[in-house]
Amino acid sequence: MVNEFPQVVTIAGTDSGGGAGVMADLKTMQARHVFGTAVVVAVTAQNTLGVQDFMALPTKLIDEQFTSLVTDLNIRACKTGMLADASHVHCVVENLKRVDFGPLTVDPVMIAKGGAALLAADAIQTVRDELVPLATVITPNLPEAAALTGLTIEDDQAMMAAGHALQELGAKNVIIKGGHEADPQTANDFVLLADGSSFWLSAPRVDTVRTHGTGDTLSACITAELAKGAAMATAIQTGKAYVAAAIQQTIQVGHGHGPLNHWVTPSAEVTRYDN
Ligand SMILES: Nc1ncnc2c1ncn2[C@@H]1O[C@H](COP(=O)(O)OP(=O)(O)OP(=O)(O)O)[C@@H](O)[C@H]1O
Ligand SMILES: Cc1ncc(COP(=O)(O)O)c(N)n1
């Protein structure tokens, strides 16, 4: 068992356009040399222009996907993405409690880049009460962090406060992603670790609309690195370097918010500032 190839799972929604959700996660996992599997929670009809439709799967089928994995594979790390509504968040939480899939990365997906709601508004409370306490690491963007904490987040101090508030809600480690920040020069993420230490990760901001699936790619990379045994801070730094490179070395696909280039190797352009 010790020498088994590292296996990971994404518990999320699909993206028919291939740039976000389960598809971005599996591409990232492949690129990071772990074996990617998926529990599909919802199916979206989606492309780089937006989400045209989606449907969540029956919760019984989600239970069965968890059972299929736990009775055969040796999942070492897992992540969640689009969970659709409160009943599906609850279903995933109950399954995560009955299996041991290792460290859990929670990407609390709420609104797609094109504006479509991927989580019902009344499910935010279920995420906060039931899923956040299970998170080994949680990776909200600014609107998601604001929705979960009730804070208005407009500057670095508020990002740090949101990080601490999420730790108080039960998440062990927190990354507040700054992709939605106003800073035209850099994309800055605040990292708060379980031991209370914190730092910022900064990468040059790329002036592009080709940012579909950035959050999925970051969280999937962190999940892959944790499965390979990386320490949390190292996994997060690798994730940031990977997503930064995948945004910089763009590929031309679609006519809207284009996907990332998942073939890249992490670049060294990320700067760490310790608090
Ligand atoms: N234009 C950009 N240039 C460089 N880095 C970026 C840019 N946009 C986002 N990032 C980085 O990408 C990562 C994801 O952040 P972001 O805030 O975009 O997440 P997100 O909104 O959850 O993404 P998505 O919903 O597209 O999956 C972070 O590390 C962020 O700093
Ligand atoms: C199934 C699914 N999961 C996550 C996202 C978020 O990605 P983005 O904000 O880039 O649209 C998405 N669009 N679709």
Side-chain angles (χ1 to χ4, degrees), residues 113 141 177 179-180 187 189 204-206 211 213-216 240 247:
K113 285 259 153 57
N141 62 24
K177 298 175 295 193
H180 297 245
D189 302 347
R205 181 173 291 276
V206 182
T211 56
T214 48
D216 308 282
K240 175 72 172 173
I247 298 168

Side-chain angles (χ1 to χ4, degrees), residues 13-15 20-21 44 46 82 109 111-113 118 211-214 216:
T14 64
D15 171 3
T44 73
Q46 184 174 179
M82 174 190 180
V109 172
I111 311 269
K113 285 259 153 57
L118 300 178
T211 56
H212 185 43
T214 48
D216 308 282

